[in-house]
Amino acid sequence: MVASLLDSKTSQNASYANSISIPITVINTPNLIAQQTLNLSAGTAGQTRVEFSGVAAVQLPLLPLATNITIFVTRGLTSGDVNVFSAAQNLDLSILGPQLIAFSGSDFNAPNIASQAYSVFIQSSALGTVRVGPESFNFTAFTG
């Protein structure tokens, strides 16, 4: 069976390195960094999948300390919706500049509805971590 493309969208907060400066102000609290809605209505039940990838750059607090960054993707509009992917990374304390976090994942057996939202959140274990860009995310849906 050949897979068929259903929909594909991009969400991009920052195209370039160091093009934003958004502090993560609350420890271990999800911050929305991407959101997109896909049309999955033409999919075949049990054979629809959404593939996603993204990149976000963050910088350690001014006084560097052990910092863990978690990125997660939900099927829905909020951080409390169905979590379909998560990744965590400890930032390197010896790097004072931006650190790039890249990921790719899939949501298998996605529902076949016309407006299925996907959201990407980031959280930090240390106060003062800064999102610096780039931030770019891709969502592509297939069936079959």
Side-chain angles (χ1 to χ4, degrees):
M1 179 177 265
V2 175
S4 299
L5 176 68
L6 295 174
D7 200 358
S8 184
K9 299 218 175 113
T10 296
S11 179
Q12 191 158 319
N13 287 340
S15 301
Y16 308 105
N18 296 309
S19 60
I20 59 174
S21 180
I22 302 172
I24 298 176
T25 57
V26 182
I27 297 172
N28 292 323
T29 299
N31 290 253
L32 178 68
I33 57 174
Q35 200 163 63
Q36 214 36 272
T37 302
L38 300 172
N39 183 350
L40 308 180
S41 63
T44 303
Q47 296 182 19
T48 300
R49 68 189 177 282
V50 174
E51 298 176 0
F52 42 83
S53 61
V55 63
V58 295
Q59 194 161 320
L60 286 165
L62 289 177
L63 295 172
L65 66 141
T67 304
N68 180 273
I69 299 295
T70 301
I71 292 180
F72 64 97
V73 178
T74 65
R75 185 192 309 142
L77 296 171
T78 72
S79 61
D81 285 322
V82 176
N83 189 340
V84 296
F85 175 86
S86 68
Q89 179 174 320
N90 290 319
L91 296 182
D92 187 332
L93 291 174
S94 67
I95 300 173
L96 298 180
Q99 298 184 48
L100 208 57
I101 301 168
F103 67 92
S104 63
S106 300
D107 179 20
F108 284 90
N109 298 321
N112 298 116
I113 60 176
S115 295
Q116 180 57 63
Y118 284 86
S119 302
V120 182
F121 296 88
I122 191 169
Q123 62 188 41
S124 173
S125 66
L127 191 62
T129 307
V130 180
R131 297 167 37 210
V132 294
E135 288 182 355
S136 184
F137 308 93
N138 301 299
F139 306 85
T140 304
F142 298 95
T143 193

